[in-house]
Amino acid sequence: MSELKEKLEYHYKQFGREKLSPDPLEIPHRFTTREDIELAAFFAAKFAYGSVYQIIKNVNRLLEMLDDSPAKVLSRSGHLEERIEGFYYRFYSTEDVATLLLAIQYFMSKYGGTGLKPLFMKGFKENGSIKEGIQHFSRAFIDFAESSGRLTRGFRHFFPEPERGSACKRMNLFLRWMVREDELDFGFWKEVGKENLIIPLDLHIARISKELGLTKRNDSSWKTASEITDRLKQFDPSDPVKYDFALCHISMRKLEF
């Protein structure tokens, strides 16, 4: 156990800002204001599906369509669907992306700022549970789409629900970026507590976690993500998810642990 902890700590320190690319997290690092960083990070996380190079290319294209000023455009623009005409990505049609933008615009109007943090905190504060925070957050977006007559299968894919067993990898990734603070993560939502985070479980994390004995489970579920996180808490109970970036990129780049 002590040997594994030493290796985890070593790799965490090795993967600093200079080794960020290629990763969707490089997208929000292009911006300077908190509001733009939050929105760029949200898009980067929500589109984090498939080739990392395609993710970066397409999210940057979407942000260009928003004049690389997403907070300003979403707070003022009344022609979002026309603005992103022709944009789509994998499961998401132009209509799905427009619905996402309209929902964010609605929550910005309701809560101020980007609307994302207070929306998440409303669910989280009830019992201090990341799971409940994500569930409330996802349902709010789904309910917006449903009430607007815009709910599609593609839009639902943006917002998986932990109550249905999903690992919610992309939302947990966004939360890691927002809650933790180091060379990579921004620390804007510190009130959530980094000790409460759940590891963003994708194929890379699943594979290396099995190899390291962090889980025996074979599915990509909330239970598996929680089990891996609980095991990592043995090495750092106050910040278990700090190892996520290094573990993911060791697996992704086929490096030796």
Side-chain angles (χ1 to χ4, degrees):
M1 182 171 167
S2 60
E3 183 181 353
L4 180 53
K5 178 178 171 60
E6 286 178 10
K7 286 189 175 182
L8 286 167
E9 292 292 338
Y10 170 79
H11 288 298
Y12 166 68
K13 292 171 184 175
Q14 289 300 304
F15 279 86
R17 183 73 178 273
E18 73 282 355
K19 292 186 180 179
L20 174 57
S21 183
D23 192 272
L25 183 54
E26 67 191 69
I27 298 169
H29 275 285
R30 294 200 292 111
F31 295 86
T32 55
T33 69
R34 174 172 176 156
E35 292 77 14
D36 283 339
I37 291 169
E38 277 192 6
L39 288 171
F42 189 61
F43 296 140
K46 285 299 175 183
F47 286 86
Y49 199 93
S51 160
V52 65
Y53 298 103
Q54 287 301 312
I55 295 164
I56 293 167
K57 175 184 174 181
N58 281 275
V59 174
N60 279 331
R61 181 176 170 228
L62 174 61
L63 288 164
E64 286 171 11
M65 290 177 162
L66 300 175
D67 298 339
D68 273 331
S69 301
K72 179 179 178 181
V73 169
L74 290 178
S75 66
R76 300 180 183 180
S77 178
H79 304 281
L80 294 175
E81 199 147 11
E82 294 89 338
R83 182 180 277 272
I84 63 163
E85 184 177 356
F87 180 85
Y88 61 91
Y89 181 67
R90 293 180 68 90
F91 306 108
Y92 312 127
S93 66
T94 302
E95 180 185 357
D96 294 331
V97 179
T99 304
L100 180 67
L101 299 181
L102 290 167
I104 294 170
Q105 190 175 63
Y106 168 77
F107 293 122
M108 288 174 75
S109 175
K110 183 175 181 178
Y111 293 112
T114 65
L116 301 177
K117 181 179 179 180
L119 177 61
F120 175 81
M121 294 302 292
K122 187 174 181 181
F124 175 75
K125 283 181 177 178
E126 291 182 5
N127 59 12
S129 164
I130 289 287
K131 185 175 183 179
E132 291 302 319
I134 294 176
Q135 182 65 33
H136 173 81
F137 190 91
S138 293
R139 282 308 315 177
F141 274 88
I142 291 169
D143 289 346
F144 172 87
E146 195 165 33
S147 65
S148 305
R150 302 178 66 98
L151 185 59
T152 64
R153 185 177 179 182
F155 188 81
R156 275 189 179 275
H157 191 269
F158 273 129
F159 297 99
E161 299 174 72
E163 285 186 0
R164 296 188 176 192
S166 173
C168 301
K169 172 250 179 174
R170 289 165 294 153
M171 190 64 193
N172 279 317
L173 184 63
F174 174 66
L175 288 171
R176 193 204 94 201
W177 296 345
M178 291 297 101
V179 176
R180 296 192 66 260
E181 183 176 19
D182 58 13
E183 289 184 32
L184 301 178
D185 300 332
F186 295 98
F188 292 155
W189 299 14
K190 289 182 181 177
E191 301 93 318
V192 173
K194 58 191 178 182
E195 71 277 6
N196 294 315
L197 293 172
I198 298 293
I199 198 161
L201 179 62
D202 61 8
L203 292 174
H204 301 295
I205 290 295
R207 180 168 58 226
I208 196 167
S209 293
K210 286 281 295 244
E211 291 174 359
L212 298 178
L214 300 176
T215 184
K216 294 181 179 179
R217 297 178 62 89
N218 295 314
D219 60 356
S220 295
S221 66
W222 185 271
K223 285 184 178 180
T224 301
S226 297
E227 182 173 282
I228 295 168
T229 304
D230 286 342
R231 185 69 197 283
L232 291 174
K233 283 182 179 179
Q234 297 177 16
F235 308 117
D236 192 333
S238 67
D239 192 11
V241 176
K242 75 180 188 183
Y243 306 115
D244 172 57
F245 186 87
L247 288 173
C248 182
H249 279 262
I250 288 169
S251 179
M252 186 173 74
R253 302 179 193 187
K254 296 180 171 57
L255 302 176
E256 184 177 344
F257 181 82

